Amino acid sequence: MQKIEHCCDVSYYLQTALEEGYRHIDGAWNYGNEAEVGQAISESGVPRKEIWLTSKLWNSFHAPQDVEPALDESLSRLRTDYLDLYLIHWPVAFRNGEKENEVDWELTENPYPTWKRLEEMVDKGKVRNIGISNFDIRRIQNLTANPLKIKPYVNQVELNYWNPQPELLNWCKDNGILLEAYSPLGGADRVRETLAIPEVQDIAKELGITPAQVYISWHVQRGTVALPKSVTPSRIKENFQVTALPDEAFQKLEKAATSHRPSKNVDPSKGWGVDIWGWIEFDEDMGNVM
Ligand code: A2P
């Protein structure tokens, strides 16, 4: 594998991760870097079939006629003819018109027309699995109340010490939907605070591993797929080491994470004018955005 020299671009981080053994690449149309990701994969020498490649349908492309062109654009940028997983990025549909981020309320409340197109993409072989992201239980139920041919395989949501979502986790387990954890270390703004939590520091010392490894192991042990993010080679390496936590340590962290008032790092509700998770009453700072 030829080493990419630029230390600060996506290709470099991706190449580092692939060399470390990572094979799961979580991307999205809206991240704006699929061309670089595609280039890095094709130059890595790692066979496509060894990689689990995810992309996400952006809010502006939920109208049925927009789904396949958006997917085709992602496939072409990623230099592949199929995705392992394609997710509806947010349970919010924007009209693909002149007004920026104008919400299509009907399609937001019932995304079945979008889902049907995703099912067709599976039939066409462009996508192997389909799922959702940032859906709460009510929104999943709104979708699955329709006569789906394929049920959501995955729901990718924010999961971390601050927002552990035990109810969603249990509900998804009971309903056969795999949860994926984004911001598993609390995200860039809170990672330092997250790693400093006393229970995690104690467990890390006891087991001789790092606090980040404690969290990633906890996510895996909860039955979720952890998606840690780092642009630091030593951390990319560190985050790949998962340990089986003794039950006592696991329960201690689970209790600490679920015993405080939850808060989200990622919440575009206010900017988009949509109460995405029904948190409006819950979060006094947000006011009524509807
Ligand atoms: P950096 O990219 O500079 O390495 P999350 O995965 O929850 O979204 O968190 C991402 C943030 O956590 C980034 O700021 C990243 O910094 C930082 N981070 C990732 N892995 C580690 C680690 N092992 N130790 C400390 N900070 C980390």
Side-chain angles (χ1 to χ4, degrees):
M1 193 187 319
Q2 201 197 343
K3 189 82 185 166
I4 294 164
E5 294 302 335
H6 318 290
C7 76
C8 305
D9 60 28
V10 171
S11 307
Y12 178 78
Y13 311 133
L14 197 51
Q15 189 170 27
T16 305
L18 288 169
E19 280 174 5
E20 275 315 312
Y22 286 83
R23 290 293 181 268
H24 184 156
I25 300 172
D26 182 72
W29 182 94
N30 195 50
Y31 299 163
N33 59 11
E34 290 191 322
E36 290 157 278
V37 172
Q39 184 184 348
I41 293 173
S42 66
E43 288 173 358
S44 71
V46 178
R48 170 68 186 89
K49 64 177 186 324
E50 284 183 18
I51 294 173
W52 178 274
L53 188 55
T54 298
S55 182
K56 308 185 190 85
L57 177 75
W58 186 241
N59 307 356
S60 312
F61 309 124
H62 284 208
Q65 69 276 12
D66 294 334
V67 172
E68 190 164 11
L71 171 61
D72 285 345
E73 191 166 73
S74 287
L75 290 173
S76 145
R77 288 178 179 167
L78 290 165
R79 303 191 192 183
T80 185
D81 54 8
Y82 74 95
L83 293 175
D84 296 279
L85 180 64
Y86 199 39
L87 305 177
I88 296 181
H89 203 150
W90 287 93
V92 177
F94 294 153
R95 291 186 194 286
N96 191 357
E98 284 178 9
K99 255 180 145 179
E100 207 189 342
N101 298 357
E102 186 189 358
V103 176
D104 180 331
W105 292 103
E106 202 177 325
L107 201 49
T108 294
E109 205 48 25
N110 185 1
Y112 184 49
T114 313
W115 190 259
K116 265 203 289 200
R117 294 295 285 164
L118 294 185
E119 291 177 334
E120 282 169 38
M121 297 304 101
V122 176
D123 291 343
K124 282 192 174 186
K126 292 186 178 187
V127 169
R128 302 236 163 123
N129 298 281
I130 51 179
I132 50 189
S133 181
N134 296 301
F135 276 56
D136 68 359
I137 295 172
R138 185 187 76 82
R139 290 187 187 276
I140 302 172
Q141 285 173 326
N142 276 4
L143 173 63
T144 56
N146 296 288
L148 309 188
K149 275 180 21 193
I150 304 171
K151 73 174 203 177
Y153 178 47
V154 156
N155 184 23
Q156 185 180 126
V157 296
E158 179 185 328
L159 286 176
N160 50 46
Y161 178 83
W162 310 105
N163 188 21
Q165 308 207 58
E167 300 82 13
L168 180 67
L169 177 61
N170 287 332
W171 190 90
C172 283
K173 274 187 186 164
D174 289 346
N175 288 277
I177 298 174
L178 180 64
L179 270 193
E180 291 186 340
Y182 73 73
S183 296
L185 303 175
D189 292 345
R190 292 188 94 173
V191 61
R192 283 185 66 159
E193 195 187 349
T194 316
L195 298 181
I197 295 294
E199 285 86 347
V200 169
Q201 288 281 334
D202 290 349
I203 296 169
K205 280 194 197 100
E206 193 185 306
L207 300 180
I209 60 178
T210 68
Q213 289 168 339
V214 172
Y215 278 114
I216 293 165
S217 303
W218 170 65
H219 285 293
V220 171
Q221 218 152 316
R222 294 180 102 208
T224 70
V225 176
L227 301 167
K229 200 165 64 184
S230 176
V231 296
T232 312
S234 61
R235 290 177 178 161
I236 292 174
K237 196 170 178 169
E238 176 187 339
N239 295 347
F240 198 53
Q241 305 308 317
V242 174
T243 302
L245 303 178
D247 194 49
E248 200 185 323
F250 175 79
Q251 295 302 344
K252 185 166 150 181
L253 180 49
E254 185 69 25
K255 185 163 178 234
T258 53
S259 300
H260 57 80
R261 183 178 189 253
S263 63
K264 283 187 185 295
N265 287 320
V266 182
D267 193 351
S269 295
K270 208 171 180 180
W272 294 345
V274 183
D275 183 0
I276 299 173
W277 293 285
W279 274 49
I280 300 302
E281 276 178 10
F282 187 80
D283 191 337
E284 299 124 25
D285 304 334
M286 273 187 53
N288 187 353
V289 298
M290 298 298 280

